[in-house]
Amino acid sequence: MTNEQLQKMVEDISIKYFAKPFRHRAYFNSRLKTTGGRYHLNDHNIDINPKMDDGQTHEVLIGIIKHELCHYHLHLAGYSAKHNTKQFKQLLKAVGGSRYAPRTQTRTAQIKYIYRCERCGLEYHRRRRINLIKYVCGRCHGRLHLVNEIQQQGA
């Protein structure tokens, strides 16, 4: 999906669910890592994380656009655009927007080392190596052993 298609989608969703036009810019921002989107209070533009678009149904993307449009329309109407306000929660529920962005797969792809306790069998997933002489299991204080080292491709 291009930025122009995203802009058109945001304008259509704004008219359909909020009955108000979206008069600013919406665009993809690939620098967003942990958030689905962002509404800028100063210029009223909306950034969307391109990883939130699944490509077929756009369900997640539409939920995030509705969420950001709730911030947009509340702020322009003179209300607080914060997540914890009553107006925001009511508007988000009324339009069916998503409260949280789903987790992307980048987090699980970064796990490189899997350690297991020899006494209780608890597994630890880590990005960095652990000094097995210095650290023990947090549950039973048993010794840890490296079970699996996952190789990363082109990270």
Side-chain angles (χ1 to χ4, degrees), residues 109-124:
Q110 292 177 353
I111 294 172
K112 293 183 180 179
Y113 303 101
I114 300 174
Y115 296 93
R116 185 176 296 133
C117 174
E118 68 179 17
R119 199 183 298 170
C120 69
L122 182 66
E123 283 193 355
Y124 293 90

Side-chain angles (χ1 to χ4, degrees), residues 86-103:
K86 186 178 178 182
Q87 293 90 358
F88 181 82
K89 290 178 183 177
Q90 286 175 346
L91 184 59
L92 189 65
K93 190 174 185 179
V95 298
S98 60
R99 183 91 165 110
Y100 303 103
R103 221 169 219 195

Side-chain angles (χ1 to χ4, degrees), residues 135-151:
Y135 294 100
V136 295
C137 176
R139 184 191 290 168
C140 70
H141 300 285
R143 290 187 54 193
L144 298 177
H145 292 287
L146 180 62
V147 175
N148 195 0
E149 184 173 341
I150 302 167
Q151 297 295 327

Side-chain angles (χ1 to χ4, degrees), residues 42-107:
N42 55 356
D43 61 4
H44 310 294
N45 292 335
I46 293 176
D47 315 6
I48 300 292
N49 186 343
K51 293 178 185 168
M52 296 297 142
D53 186 18
D54 61 358
Q56 288 89 23
T57 61
H58 306 295
E59 285 181 43
V60 174
L61 183 65
I62 290 170
I64 290 169
I65 291 171
K66 288 178 185 177
H67 179 103
E68 298 308 324
L69 283 173
C70 286
H71 290 298
Y72 174 80
H73 289 298
L74 284 172
H75 182 248
L76 292 182
Y79 295 103
S80 174
K82 292 184 179 181
H83 290 106
N84 61 351
T85 62
K86 186 178 178 182
Q87 293 90 358
F88 181 82
K89 290 178 183 177
Q90 286 175 346
L91 184 59
L92 189 65
K93 190 174 185 179
V95 298
S98 60
R99 183 91 165 110
Y100 303 103
R103 221 169 219 195
T104 58
Q105 294 299 325
T106 57
R107 198 56 131 179

